[in-house]
């Protein structure tokens, strides 16, 4: 059973009046989803464990391998919901040329929505954080991930009029992966820019 410690859900339940129980553990990684079901009950004197891996149909490779992207589509509404419930969200479809640290285009509904959220909630502070895969040295990856995060911050401020004091920008390089760097899909998922909520004073 694969467990992504940055992206999993767990629930357990017991049947009242009995000693029967069930637990569900769901985890996701780039290119696959995983589900573990554990059933417990003394009437059978057994513990049943089922592991299921779900892999979607293969997709054609991205034309630009260094462009930060994620596998699941997301609407601007999803972005706000994720920030409110999880405290973090990945920005999708940011247009960086291969090896570049400047945005090729700032046309992005998510950036517009994020700027509107910051304008409406002046007590909200966020950090824009860049991430890379493990190709290249650590310091070089930290530099490029920080520069991409700063480019997104600049776009939020200069293009979408977001309050500068509410936005920090930093780069983590390859130090915070969300998938394995041993596969092309994993490296693709790890090249990303995400938003993290630092504080929200209402």
């Amino acid at each position: 059973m694969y467990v992504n410690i940055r992206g999993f859900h767990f629930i357990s339940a017991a049947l009242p009046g009995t000693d029967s129980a069930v637990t569900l553990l769901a985890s996701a990684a780039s290119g696959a989803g995983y589900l573990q079901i554990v059933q417990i009950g003394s009437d059978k004197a057994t513990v049943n464990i089922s592991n299921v891996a779900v892999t979607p149909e293969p997709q054609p490779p991205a034309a630009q391998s260094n462009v930060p992207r994620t596998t699941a589509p997301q609407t601007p509404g999803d972005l706000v919901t994720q920030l409110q419930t999880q405290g973090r969200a990945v920005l999708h479809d940011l247009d960086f040329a291969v090896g570049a640290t400047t945005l090729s285009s700032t046309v992005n509904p998510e950036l517009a929505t994020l700027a509107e959220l910051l304008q409406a909630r002046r007590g909200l502070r966020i950090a824009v954080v860049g991430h890379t895969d493990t190709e290249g040295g650590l310091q070089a990856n930290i530099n490029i991930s920080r520069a991409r995060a700063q480019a997104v911050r600049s776009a939020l401020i200069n293009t979408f009029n977001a309050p500068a004091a509410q936005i920090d920008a930093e780069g983590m390089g390859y130090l915070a992966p969300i998938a394995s760097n041993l596969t092309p899909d994993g490296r693709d998922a790890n090249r990303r820019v995400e938003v993290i909520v630092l504080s929200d004073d209402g």
Side-chain angles (χ1 to χ4, degrees):
M1 173 63 187
Y2 172 84
V3 179
N4 178 358
I5 62 172
R6 292 173 59 89
F8 72 93
H9 297 279
F10 177 82
I11 187 171
S12 63
L15 183 63
T18 72
D19 56 3
S20 297
V22 63
T23 67
L24 301 176
L25 174 63
S27 180
S30 176
Y34 300 86
L35 177 65
Q36 182 181 76
I37 304 170
V38 180
Q39 296 173 294
I40 304 171
S42 63
D43 55 329
K44 297 180 180 179
T46 59
V47 176
N48 296 323
I49 301 177
S50 302
N51 292 319
V52 180
V54 180
T55 304
E57 291 296 322
Q59 300 296 318
Q64 296 181 328
S65 61
N66 283 341
V67 177
R69 63 180 68 247
T70 52
T71 57
Q74 175 172 273
T75 67
D78 292 335
L79 172 68
V80 174
T81 299
Q82 287 186 29
L83 289 176
Q84 292 175 337
T85 60
Q86 301 177 23
R88 58 178 291 275
V90 175
L91 295 173
H92 292 243
D93 300 325
L94 294 175
D95 190 7
F96 288 100
V98 175
T101 58
T102 57
L103 284 166
S104 300
S105 172
T106 55
V107 178
N108 188 304
E110 284 187 322
L111 294 184
T113 297
L114 183 57
E116 291 174 2
L117 179 65
L118 291 166
Q119 292 165 358
R121 300 175 63 171
R122 292 306 178 104
L124 177 64
R125 289 187 61 246
I126 64 169
V128 180
V129 184
H131 301 270
T132 68
D133 59 25
T134 54
E135 295 182 352
L138 175 58
Q139 192 57 54
N141 276 297
I142 288 178
N143 291 343
I144 192 171
S145 61
R146 181 185 293 123
R148 285 179 169 173
Q150 290 171 342
V152 172
R153 179 180 185 271
S154 295
L156 284 167
I157 296 167
N158 299 324
T159 304
F160 299 100
N161 300 314
Q166 293 173 239
I167 311 170
D168 291 344
E170 192 50 81
M172 292 294 293
Y174 54 63
L175 296 177
I178 57 174
S180 171
N181 279 295
L182 300 179
T183 66
D185 283 346
R187 291 191 294 273
D188 187 60
N190 288 333
R191 292 187 296 266
R192 70 198 189 279
V193 176
E194 61 185 346
V195 178
I196 297 173
V197 175
L198 299 177
S199 62
D200 189 358
D201 298 331

